[in-house]
Amino acid sequence: MTAVATAVVAVGAATAMTGAGGAGERDTARPDTSHTTLRLPLPVQPSASKSAPTATASPSASASAKRSASPKTASASPARRSPAGPAAGKLYRHPQSQVLEWVAANRGDSRRPLIESSIASQPAAVWFPQYNPGAITGDVRAVTSGAAAAGRIPVLVPYAIPDRDCGGASQGGAPDLAAYDAWIRGFAAGLGSRPVIVILEPDSIALADCLSAQTRAGRFASLSRAARAMHAANPQAKVYFDAGHSNWHPAAEQAAALRQAGAASSGDGIFTNVANFHRTADEAAYARRVLDALGGPARLGAVIDTGRNGNGAPAAGQWCDPAGRALGQPPTTSTQQARIDAYLWVKLPGESDGCKGAPGTFTPSYAYELAQR
């Protein structure tokens, strides 16, 4: 296994770059999947704005499960789960990452102290972008056992859904949903018994419009089974479903798709802003609107990717390593905000979208620019 990035693995990226009002940020959070490293996070690319977040719309996808879950993935009863929100505690920083490797190899670089203190020291998500059914359980267990030994909470990103990225730059994943279901059961088997946070398949719901109604329904049913499998394997797991971001789908439309994917019945909440730049306050407000429209248990919350959103979104049309961005709020499970369970660094700051460096690679000049602002 090769080391990938420090906190994320790959996320799909839409090729369309037009949005409401002519905005041109990407609709997705694309990562580079050419790095096959498993336990380290990779980059994701920004999503494009499609419509105003306050508008309402009818559901964009239909999702009737084709079959019920097998006994192995039967839904765990709510009583078996831990209280709402991630358990209080510090998040896990994986000991291997591109930024840590750069820091170790460049002790004399004048940029090193700031990058080390501002980025390398922070916990970030660990992505799993490979369809590797024979190894996935051990790969996940290696991360969760390391986190358990450190008394920390890991953030894990499974990213192997079929048709991911709708054939874009991050295409790949399992060959079909049956294979994916088996892979995700293997993923769940490595979760251990301590608290973990799972960012379930970035772009899998917000970017599902490219799929046929039948394919979309199958995907949504599979996501629901995935969450149930994780809860059955580890009742302490917190599984969050894809809600895009505040300048993509209207809250009511996104909530309808999330409902069809089982987010209210099988998940613990939603995630937003993965690899994007929208301000935390905007994302929190959007997440609450989505949760309100979603309905479901009051325990449902949201997590927000804050890695690069310190200065908000760039001008329309700029999505690839845009200038003038800044680090956002450090990762924490103590947000002091209603229904916002955590601020996370899902895409590690400094990992390029493909303009200031090769896609998915740690680029010190970009990292330094983000950390200076």
Side-chain angles (χ1 to χ4, degrees), residues 2-48:
T2 7
V4 181
T6 236
V8 228
V9 128
V11 183
T15 55
M17 295 182 59
T18 56
E25 54 180 286
R26 281 191 180 268
D27 284 332
T28 63
R30 173 170 84 200
D32 172 35
T33 52
S34 61
H35 295 290
T36 53
T37 307
L38 166 88
R39 305 182 325 245
L40 304 179
L42 283 187
V44 184
Q45 281 184 351
S47 318

Side-chain angles (χ1 to χ4, degrees), residues 238-335:
K238 295 296 181 184
V239 184
Y240 294 88
F241 283 62
D242 173 37
H245 61 68
S246 61
N247 204 25
W248 195 347
H249 295 297
E253 178 182 319
Q254 189 64 35
L258 283 159
R259 189 179 306 108
Q260 291 160 1
S265 58
S266 303
D268 297 283
I270 61 175
F271 62 84
T272 78
N273 209 43
V274 168
N276 223 291
F277 306 92
H278 298 285
R279 293 187 184 277
T280 302
D282 294 335
E283 290 303 299
Y286 172 71
R288 293 188 191 101
R289 290 197 301 272
V290 173
L291 290 170
D292 287 344
L294 180 60
R299 63 178 172 75
L300 297 180
V303 297
I304 300 169
D305 187 353
T306 59
R308 307 189 294 178
N309 73 345
N311 283 343
Q318 299 179 15
W319 61 267
C320 186
D321 302 332
R325 302 312 96 203
L327 301 177
Q329 288 148 295
T332 181
T333 58
S334 299
T335 69

Side-chain angles (χ1 to χ4, degrees), residues 168-182:
S170 296
Q171 61 184 299
D176 53 48
L177 288 177
Y180 177 74
D181 287 351

